[in-house]
Structures are given as structure tokens and as C-alpha cells.
């Protein structure tokens, strides 16, 4: 259950930049699909219920396995409110992608995909085939006023989900207050106290000095030299955060402040990152089990109070104990690169689609109104926190201020929430905003907001917009990446551990260019320029 709670928290951070590698299908500007002729008779554009006569539709989604969706108060409430009932075709999270692909291949489609992690390639492939229907018509014709308002206020969101054939085939999760793209780095507060550190490192040299002190000065006070200054699992957890120290926003492809697109592994800043980690490795300041340990083994070291600097969603996930402000968020540090540090900030939308309507849906207008409710304050509140008076109540409805109620049966609040709403452990359609949590934030939440505002937001920028490649570009990029990714991963480990001397950097870059590194930058520059030129 703990893993699910964590999944629920971290799911928003899993909009991995790899999903930028989106395909695009053949153009079909007609927007036609088998549902295009569906009648909107009996569907209201305002007010509830949405339909004059109740209808039943079939939904496919992934299931965190906490509760029966038929019994969830949020979905029961939606049925009463809208007049639309759903039957559920659910698959466990870990097998959902396979089941979804089978459904697409078989043609035995649900009416809607919900929380469905539809990659840009899925959207375009199945959109151009008429399997997923274009949604912009229903948005613009008044069946989705909340979504329309968000799109009008944030045109970048609309264009980031519009494929080159001009259609929107899926809807994103929108969280404009999101900061973290990946879970960040934290200091062990007990170590800071023991070493009398009152000001966190601000440069790579100061960071090195701090980590050296951890190794030499026994901050856990047990008389053994068992402290681990910095730990990781294959560098996947720290790479993106650390690259920012050398002015790089993402580990694969990013655009800088001037709109120039870079392929990270051949950048000079990437060499700076490797050089620093190699120095830490040589001096035993980076855990020598980094390339062999599991996340559980890394966590066990945290529970034993051995780690000084580490990555996790919240520090207490690794160190144990209760949420508190005792273990500070790492301040990104400055390197020799001008303009550093930078931070690859969350773009505010999911890279993958969370909701789509298929050609089987007999009532797309009604379905659009049903999903649109989740993009407004009332619907977003319902799906995030459950119906009023179960887990929370208003203290002032006009100002949207709420308070938590005691959790029945002494369960953990987030666990109980997972029995109320499907919005748990999976990334679902809808929006989040600070308005939803007025009065519900803990002291720890408030402290986190302050840490983000001071340390990350001022230097943050989304690494890359959600762009689409053409079919030909996608095929080329996929082919290039399959070889490049393997080579980069192998060479990163070799450079860091010293198996490959950094004096061979120029040979490494020459090999990357030979394998298509420059071409990757070119492909994504083209897609970025197209995206940028759209209104």
C-alpha cells in the first residue's frame, strides 16, 4: 500500500521527456469519424443532468486495485449528477499498456479511455485511423466550457495537444502549479546539524567540500566510517537535477532560453557533469554500489541514517520518520558554466493523453460534458478529494476554504481517498490548482511550497514543449535513439567509474555525431520551430 501511496504522489513527475518522441500520422483534415454523425439531441450544454434520458457507456482504465469502481462514491455521485453511467473495463497498472494495445489491435473498443497514458504516437496513429475521434469540434461548440476556458487562457496547452493534422485526439492532465519534473534531491538534516552546516552549498566546489566532510567527520556519530555522502540507482534518480548545475534542462533533448535545441549527451555541460561525478567516484564520495543497487537497497541505507544527499519524492520516504522541514531541499549549485544553475521544471501538463473518446461512443457530446466537469473547480475537487462531508468539509464555501475530517477506521487519509475516487495511483484527466487545497495544506506542504519558491522556481523552465514528429521523422528518431541510448548509458557509467578516461571525450562525441546526435537535435529543432510558429 505504501508503494501505491507513493505512486499516487509521484505519478505527476513521471511525464518523462522520452514521451517527447511522438509520432504523427497521415493528415486527415476532414475530422470525420464514425461518431461524427451522432446526434446531440437530448444533450444539454449547461446544467445537470447532462442527458434527458440516462445512458450507459463503457470505460477502459488502469486500476490501482484499492476499491471496486462500481462502489466509488465519486463515480456514483457523477452518475447521479450527469445521468451517465459507466461500465468499467479495468486492468492492473503494470499490465494496462499491454491490454490497451490488445484492445486497439482487436478493434473491440470501449467508448472512452480514461487515465489511459496515451502516448503522442498512440494519439496520432489511432486518430488518423479514425479509432479516436477529434475532440476540438465538441470543445469549440460549447460542450466543454471549462476546457475551452483553459485553452483560451493558455494557448500553449492547446497547441501542445494539437497534432499536425489540426486535431486534438486526447486531453492532458493540467497542473499549472507543478514544479517538479522528477523527484528532487534532499539533504539529511541530522548530518547538517552534526557538521554545523548553517548554509547549504551554492557551488560545485562547496558541494564537494561538504560531501568530503561527510566522509571524514562521522556525522551519524556511530564511530564507524559508514557514511555515504551521495547515493543513487544507476544515476537515473539524480541525473536531471545534477545536469542543471551545468546549464542543462533535460537528460536527452531540451531547448535553451533562446529556442536552440540541444542533444544533451554531446554538450560540453554534460562533460562537466561526468567530470564532477568521476571526481566524487574516485574519492569515494559517490556510492560505489550506484550501478548495482536496487531502490530498496538504497532506501535501507537511508533508514540506517547513512546517507547525506539523496533523491526521493519526499525525504521521509528514504530517511523514515514523519513529514517535517528538517531535511532541506537541495539548492541547485553553480558550476563553471555561465548562467548555471538551471532547473528543468514541470511543463504543467502531462506529456501523454489521459482521456480519449473512441469511434464506438454513441454520445460524444454528452461524454465531452462529462469529462469537462473535471476541468472546473467543482469537478476537480470531487475527483481529487471525494464528495463533501466524507473526507473534508467547507469552512467557507464562497472562498473555497476547506478542512479535513477524521478518517474513518483510523486509516491513512490518502489510502482512504483511494477508495473514494479513481484519481489515485494513476494520472487521470482534469486539472489541479492551489484553489483546490485551500485550508487543506499541512505545515509540511507549506514548507515545501516555500522551498520550491526559493530554490527551484526562479531558475526553472520546462525543458521542451510537447511536440509531434511526422511519421518519417519519428521512424528516423526511434531508430537513432535505439543505438544512441544504449551507447550513452554504457559510456556514462564508464566515464563516471573511470573505466573510460575523460581524455577520450572528443572520441566519444565524434562517435555520437557519427551515430546521429546532430540529426536528433535537427529533428527536434524542426518540430520545435513548427510548434513555435503555431498560433
Amino acid at each position: 500500500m505504501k508503494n501505491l501511496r507513493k505512486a499516487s504522489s509521484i505519478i505527476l513527475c513521471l511525464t518523462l521527456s522520452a514521451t517527447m518522441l511522438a509520432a504523427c500520422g497521415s493528415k486527415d483534415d476532414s475530422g470525420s469519424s464514425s461518431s461524427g454523425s451522432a446526434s446531440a439531441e437530448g444533450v444539454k450544454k449547461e446544467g445537470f443532468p447532462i442527458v434527458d434520458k440516462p445512458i450507459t457507456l463503457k470505460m477502459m482504465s488502469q486500476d490501482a486495485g484499492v476499491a471496486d469502481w462500481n462502489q466509488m462514491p465519486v463515480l456514483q455521485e457523477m452518475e447521479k449528477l450527469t445521468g451517465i453511467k459507466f461500465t468499467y473495463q479495468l486492468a492492473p497498472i503494470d499490465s494496462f499498456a499491454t491490454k490497451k494495445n490488445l484492445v486497439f489491435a482487436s478493434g473491440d473498443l470501449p467508448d472512452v479511455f480514461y487515465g489511459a497514458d496515451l502516448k503522442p504516437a498512440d494519439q496520432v496513429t489511432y486518430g488518423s485511423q479514425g479509432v479516436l475521434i477529434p475532440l476540438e469540434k465538441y470543445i469549440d461548440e460549447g460542450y466543454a466550457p471549462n476546457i475551452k476556458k483553459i485553452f483560451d487562457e493558455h494557448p500553449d496547452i492547446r497547441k501542445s495537444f494539437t497534432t499536425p493534422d489540426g486535431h486534438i485526439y486526447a486531453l492532458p492532465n493540467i497542473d499549472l502549479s507543478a514544479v517538479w519534473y522528477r523527484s528532487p534531491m534532499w539533504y539529511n538534516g541530522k548530518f547538517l546539524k552534526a557538521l554545523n552546516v548553517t548554509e547549504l552549498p551554492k557551488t560545485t566546489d562547496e558541494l564537494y567540500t561538504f560531501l568530503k566532510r561527510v566522509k571524514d567527520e562521522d556525522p551519524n556519530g556511530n564511530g564507524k566510517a559508514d557514511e555515504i555522502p551521495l547515493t543513487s540507482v544507476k544515476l537515473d534518480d539524480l541525473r536531471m537535477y545534477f545536469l542543471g548545475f551545468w546549464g542543462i534542462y533535460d537528460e536527452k533533448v531540451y531547448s535553451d532560453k533562446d529556442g536552440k535545441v540541444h542533444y544533451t549527451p554531446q554538450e560540453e555541460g554534460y562533460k562537466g557533469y561526468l567530470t564532477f561525478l568521476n571526481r566524487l567516484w574516485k574519492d569515494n564520495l559517490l556510492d560505489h554500489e550506484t550501478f548495482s543497487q536496487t531502490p530498496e537497497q538504497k532506501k535501507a541505507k537511508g533508514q540506517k541514517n547513512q546517507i547525506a544527499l539523496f533523491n526521493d519524492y519526499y525525504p521521509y520516504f528514504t530517511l523514515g520518520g514523519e513529514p517535517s522541514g528538517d531535511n532541506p531541499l537541495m539548492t541547485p549549485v553553480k558550476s563553471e558554466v555561465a548562467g548555471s544553475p538551471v532547473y528543468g521544471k514541470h511543463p504543467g501538463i502531462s506529456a501523454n493523453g489521459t482521456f480519449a473518446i473512441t469511434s464506438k461512443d454513441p454520445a460524444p457530446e454528452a461524454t465531452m460534458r462529462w469529462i469537462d466537469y473535471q476541468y472546473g473547480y467543482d469537478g476537480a475537487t470531487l475527483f481529487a478529494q471525494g464528495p463533501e462531508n466524507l473526507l473534508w468539509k467547507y469552512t467557507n464555501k464562497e472562498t473555497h476554504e476547506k478542512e479535513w475530517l477524521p478518517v474513518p477506521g483510523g486509516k491513512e487519509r490518502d489510502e482512504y481517498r483511494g477508495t473514494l475516487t479513481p484519481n489515485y495511483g494513476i494520472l487521470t484527466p482534469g486539472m489541479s490548482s492551489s484553489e483546490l487545497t485551500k485550508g487543506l495544506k499541512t505545515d509540511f506542504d507549506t514548507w515545501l511550497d516555500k522551498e520550491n519558491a526559493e530554490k527551484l522556481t526562479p531558475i526553472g523552465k520546462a525543458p521542451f514543449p510537447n511536440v509531434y514528429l511526422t511519421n518519417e521523422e519519428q521512424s528516423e528518431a526511434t531508430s537513432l535513439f535505439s543505438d544512441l541510448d544504449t551507447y550513452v548509458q554504457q559510456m556514462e557509467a564508464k566515464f563516471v567509474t573511470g573505466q573510460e578516461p575523460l581524455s577520450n571525450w572528443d572520441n566519444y562525441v565524434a562517435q555520437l555525431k557519427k551515430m546521429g546526435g546532430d540529426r536528433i537535435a535537427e529533428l527536434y529543432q524542426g518540430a520545435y520551430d513548427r510548434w513555435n510558429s503555431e498560433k
Side-chain angles (χ1 to χ4, degrees):
M1 200 51 77
K2 202 164 204 174
N3 288 341
L4 268 177
R5 287 203 310 277
K6 186 176 172 190
S8 170
S9 303
I10 68 174
I11 202 85
L12 196 57
C13 289
L14 301 182
T15 51
L16 299 183
S17 49
T19 55
M20 300 179 310
L21 319 181
C24 277
S26 59
K27 295 199 174 189
D28 172 15
D29 293 306
S30 66
S32 63
S33 76
S34 60
S35 67
S37 59
S39 167
E41 200 179 321
V43 179
K44 292 183 207 152
K45 287 187 177 178
E46 288 175 6
F48 294 100
I50 290 169
V51 285
D52 291 345
K53 293 177 187 166
I55 58 171
T56 300
L57 300 172
K58 184 176 173 187
M59 172 191 290
M60 183 175 187
S61 186
Q62 36 190 337
D63 184 12
V66 179
D68 177 356
W69 284 37
N70 293 294
Q71 304 301 319
M72 282 183 182
V74 163
L75 296 172
Q76 291 174 337
E77 185 83 9
M78 279 297 279
E79 186 184 335
K80 273 190 284 186
L81 180 71
T82 63
I84 300 172
K85 179 182 171 60
F86 279 97
T87 57
Y88 304 107
Q89 181 182 350
L90 304 174
I93 292 168
D94 55 3
S95 61
F96 177 74
T98 308
K99 296 272 169 62
K100 179 179 65 180
N101 290 338
L102 286 172
V103 162
F104 276 128
S106 71
D108 184 17
L109 296 165
D111 296 307
V112 304
F113 285 100
Y114 181 91
D117 198 34
L118 292 159
K119 293 177 174 49
D122 297 333
Q123 296 166 41
V124 180
T125 302
Y126 299 115
S128 62
Q129 291 172 6
V131 175
L132 303 179
I133 67 167
L135 305 179
E136 69 279 355
K137 168 183 157 186
Y138 306 109
I139 294 168
D140 295 333
E141 285 179 2
Y143 293 101
N146 292 314
I147 296 170
K148 179 83 164 69
K149 183 170 186 283
I150 292 170
F151 282 0
D152 288 349
E153 288 172 3
H154 305 278
D156 277 7
I157 296 178
R158 181 171 189 138
K159 74 180 184 182
S160 294
F161 265 75
T162 300
T163 59
D165 63 6
H167 296 309
I168 296 168
Y169 295 112
L171 298 174
N173 174 289
I174 299 168
D175 183 359
L176 297 173
S177 60
V179 176
W180 302 343
Y181 208 160
R182 309 281 171 84
S183 43
M185 305 291 298
W186 307 93
Y187 285 107
N188 181 336
K190 288 178 182 168
F191 282 21
L192 296 174
K193 213 169 180 182
L195 297 172
N196 228 356
V197 174
T198 53
E199 213 171 287
L200 297 179
K202 289 194 174 66
T203 66
T204 48
D205 287 342
E206 287 175 14
L207 177 59
Y208 176 88
T209 303
F210 166 74
L211 296 173
K212 189 92 173 70
R213 286 189 65 200
V214 170
K215 181 160 178 55
D216 296 342
E217 297 180 31
D218 190 29
N220 68 10
N222 64 0
K224 299 177 193 168
D226 64 347
E227 286 84 358
I228 300 161
L230 173 66
T231 191
S232 173
V233 177
K234 297 183 175 60
L235 304 179
D236 291 342
D237 45 5
L238 66 72
R239 187 182 299 113
M240 191 158 159
Y241 207 87
F242 268 55
L243 282 168
F245 309 165
W246 283 270
I248 291 172
Y249 289 92
D250 187 80
E251 58 202 70
K252 220 166 190 180
V253 175
Y254 69 95
S255 59
D256 61 26
K257 287 171 182 166
D258 299 321
K260 185 175 191 297
V261 175
H262 302 263
Y263 175 54
T264 295
Q266 63 187 34
E267 292 293 311
E268 201 59 30
Y270 185 77
K271 182 186 180 185
Y273 153 82
L274 292 175
T275 306
F276 185 69
L277 287 185
N278 172 247
R279 184 184 177 200
L280 297 185
W281 182 275
K282 279 194 300 204
D283 295 346
N284 280 314
L285 305 182
L286 171 60
D287 192 344
H288 276 209
E289 292 181 353
T290 283
F291 294 99
S292 58
Q293 71 181 342
T294 64
E296 289 71 31
Q297 288 168 324
K298 172 184 131 179
K299 195 158 292 206
K301 294 170 181 176
Q303 307 279 333
K304 290 183 200 158
N305 198 31
Q306 290 180 282
I307 306 170
L309 179 61
F310 58 94
N311 166 288
D312 209 331
Y313 198 76
Y314 296 133
Y316 65 92
F317 284 175
T318 288
L319 299 176
E322 295 301 313
S324 76
D326 296 339
N327 306 293
L329 182 71
M330 183 191 194
T331 304
V333 296
K334 184 175 175 49
S335 69
E336 66 281 3
V337 171
S340 66
V342 300
Y343 176 69
K345 183 177 172 289
H346 195 283
I349 56 172
S350 57
N352 291 344
T354 54
F355 184 86
I357 301 176
T358 77
S359 55
K360 291 282 172 78
D361 190 327
E365 294 87 354
T367 308
M368 272 311 292
R369 276 224 53 212
W370 185 90
I371 193 61
D372 182 66
Y373 187 60
Q374 294 172 47
Y375 287 86
Y377 170 80
D378 289 332
T381 295
L382 175 66
F383 275 77
Q385 294 140 12
E388 190 181 357
N389 296 322
L390 284 181
L391 200 52
W392 62 277
K393 69 174 186 184
Y394 277 114
T395 53
N396 185 332
K397 194 160 186 175
E398 279 181 27
T399 60
H400 293 163
E401 285 171 276
K402 313 179 181 91
E403 68 179 11
W404 292 118
L405 296 171
V407 182
K411 287 183 184 173
E412 283 201 31
R413 185 184 295 124
D414 207 40
E415 222 169 284
Y416 178 64
R417 192 179 69 79
T419 67
L420 305 179
T421 175
N423 186 359
Y424 176 84
I426 63 173
L427 191 65
T428 53
M431 68 89 178
S432 298
S433 76
S434 52
E435 200 68 12
L436 301 187
T437 52
K438 274 189 174 179
L440 298 179
K441 290 203 165 190
T442 62
D443 291 345
F444 179 67
D445 294 329
T446 306
W447 173 78
L448 270 185
D449 287 346
K450 191 166 177 285
E451 290 284 277
N452 285 331
E454 286 173 6
K455 297 173 179 178
L456 300 181
T457 308
I459 57 167
K461 179 186 88 68
F464 205 70
N466 200 45
V467 301
Y468 295 88
L469 299 181
T470 65
N471 266 338
E472 295 75 20
E473 288 170 343
Q474 178 58 44
S475 300
E476 187 181 357
T478 302
S479 170
L480 292 174
F481 272 127
S482 66
D483 293 334
L484 282 166
D485 289 352
T486 307
Y487 180 65
V488 166
Q489 196 179 3
Q490 288 169 349
M491 292 304 290
E492 180 185 51
K494 286 180 178 177
F495 280 132
V496 169
T497 58
Q499 285 176 48
E500 186 82 28
L502 277 147
S503 55
N504 285 351
W505 169 258
D506 289 345
N507 297 342
Y508 158 78
V509 171
Q511 179 61 22
L512 282 182
K513 288 176 183 288
K514 199 171 154 189
M515 293 171 76
D518 285 345
R519 180 61 181 149
I520 288 292
E522 201 178 296
L523 287 168
Y524 282 93
Q525 185 72 61
Y528 178 83
D529 291 343
R530 284 198 300 267
W531 178 89
N532 221 18
S533 66
E534 288 167 22
K535 287 176 185 171

